[in-house]
Amino acid sequence: MARAWQRMLSGRRLDLLDPTPVDIEIEDIAHGLAFVARWNGQTQGDYAYSVAEHSLLVERLFTRMYPVAEPKWRLTALLHDAPEYVIGDMISPVKTAVGPDYGELDKRLTSAIHIRFGLPAETPKRIKAQIKRADRVSAWMEAVQIAGFTVTEANKLFGKPDEGHIDGLTIDLRPPLAVRADYTTRHAELLDLL
């Protein structure tokens, strides 16, 4: 039988077919996400735009868009792409081509990650939709600022964002280790609020 687990830098073995919360460590998530490039690496700059950096931006946007959101939902926003630390970031067309198996794997990993950090295994639909809105604003910013899209193209693909949500926010590409540190720090800050 083929191996379906991955050894993490923490020493944990994460079974991808049956992930358990005990095998989830934030350091592994932060490290993996800091080295996974969004946009298949097709971004401008000296460093790849990582999923960790994207996740920090989504949490920040979510907090701006929903300022009364409970800390657990802000943490959920930070962790919204956490499974990608082991399965990578697939662009939407590839996810569609892979089919429902990708979604099931993502769902199992998300549940284990959420349970590990004291969140509901399944995110309520309303909160998931709010995080998705913040995710789309992030995608718009990324498209325009670092992925070479025109504003017109980004508006068509992701919807024009409310200027108040993005005011003063810019994407600065940074080394993976700096992003990893910020991700773990933000995770700890949000855990302290729970």
Side-chain angles (χ1 to χ4, degrees):
M1 185 171 161
R3 176 173 67 95
W5 56 267
Q6 179 177 349
R7 180 178 297 281
M8 299 293 144
L9 288 178
S10 66
R12 300 277 189 199
R13 281 189 186 189
L14 181 65
D15 183 338
L16 299 179
L17 299 178
D18 188 23
T20 60
V22 74
D23 291 322
I24 308 287
E25 297 292 344
I26 193 58
E27 292 80 9
D28 293 332
I29 293 171
H31 183 82
L33 294 182
F35 285 90
V36 173
R38 280 189 45 89
W39 302 90
N40 277 347
Q42 299 301 305
T43 53
Q44 302 161 356
D46 293 335
Y47 299 101
Y49 183 68
S50 72
V51 174
E53 192 80 81
H54 162 77
S55 298
L56 287 162
L57 179 58
V58 169
E59 188 269 327
R60 192 165 183 190
L61 288 164
F62 176 78
T63 300
R64 280 184 173 203
M65 295 166 76
Y66 307 99
V68 297
E70 295 177 57
K72 68 180 175 182
W73 304 134
R74 292 165 60 192
L75 180 57
T76 302
L78 180 69
L79 295 170
H80 80 282
D81 280 339
E84 294 179 9
Y85 85 108
V86 288
I87 58 178
D89 180 41
M90 287 191 209
I91 59 173
S92 296
V94 175
K95 288 178 186 177
T96 301
V98 171
D101 289 342
Y102 177 87
E104 283 304 310
L105 176 59
D106 184 80
K107 186 177 179 181
R108 283 193 302 271
L109 286 165
T110 297
S111 293
I113 291 164
H114 283 190
I115 292 167
R116 168 66 175 88
F117 299 115
L119 299 170
E122 192 169 328
T123 304
K125 288 181 181 180
R126 178 180 62 85
I127 301 299
K128 191 178 265 192
Q130 291 174 344
I131 293 169
K132 187 63 182 170
R133 284 193 278 282
D135 194 32
R136 288 180 66 79
V137 172
S138 176
W140 184 94
M141 289 179 63
E142 296 162 20
V144 169
Q145 292 185 26
I146 60 172
F149 288 64
T150 66
V151 169
T152 302
E153 288 174 313
N155 287 348
K156 185 176 179 181
L157 290 169
F158 307 109
K160 183 178 179 182
D162 180 316
E163 287 295 323
H165 296 150
I166 62 172
D167 186 45
L169 294 179
T170 58
I171 295 173
D172 298 312
L173 301 179
R174 304 180 296 148
L177 298 183
V179 179
R180 179 183 73 186
D182 285 353
Y183 189 94
T184 54
T185 297
R186 187 64 185 146
H187 179 266
E189 290 169 353
L190 290 169
L191 272 183
D192 285 347
L193 297 174
L194 296 183

